[in-house]
């Protein structure tokens, strides 16, 4: 299975306090599942991740939704 890459990456703070530069749909899914708030933007991102796995949306769509969910969760970091 392809990782469904997107660019540029979305830098987020992990629960352990580390920086994770997410650059693919599978990584976004894994990170989303670790988040606790799971607000409306989280739900949109999670749904789009599943749609991307079924090739219904492009990875770039997931990237933007994941970025917005990271803002909502307070986990988005700045690109260096």
């Amino acid at each position: 299975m392809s990782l469904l890459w997107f660019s540029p990456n979305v830098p987020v703070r992990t629960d352990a306090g580390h920086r994770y530069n997410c650059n693919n749909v599978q990584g976004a899914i894994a990170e989303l599942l670790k988040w606790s708030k799971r607000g409306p933007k989280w739900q949109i991102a999670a749904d789009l991740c599943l749609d991307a796995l079924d090739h219904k949306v492009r990875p770039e769509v997931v990237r933007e939704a994941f970025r917005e969910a990271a803002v909502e969760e307070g986990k988005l970091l700045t690109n260096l």
Side-chain angles (χ1 to χ4, degrees):
M1 178 186 334
S2 167
L3 286 178
L4 302 170
W5 301 99
F6 53 73
S7 181
N9 64 38
V10 178
V12 295
R13 181 180 29 83
T14 67
D15 289 338
H18 300 286
R19 178 187 193 91
Y20 172 60
N21 292 313
C22 184
N23 63 1
N24 63 74
V25 173
Q26 286 82 346
I29 293 168
E31 200 59 34
L32 286 168
L33 290 174
K34 297 175 188 176
W35 296 356
S36 59
K37 291 182 188 171
R38 299 190 179 186
K41 293 188 184 213
W42 181 95
Q43 188 63 57
I44 291 168
D47 290 344
L48 286 170
C49 283
L50 295 177
D51 286 345
L53 292 177
D54 286 338
H55 303 287
K56 294 178 182 174
V57 298
R58 296 183 357 238
E60 294 79 17
V61 174
V62 172
R63 180 202 175 277
E64 186 56 34
F66 179 69
R67 185 186 176 289
E68 290 178 16
V71 169
E72 178 181 70
E73 183 79 9
K75 292 192 175 279
L76 183 69
L77 300 173
T78 57
N79 270 327
L80 295 178

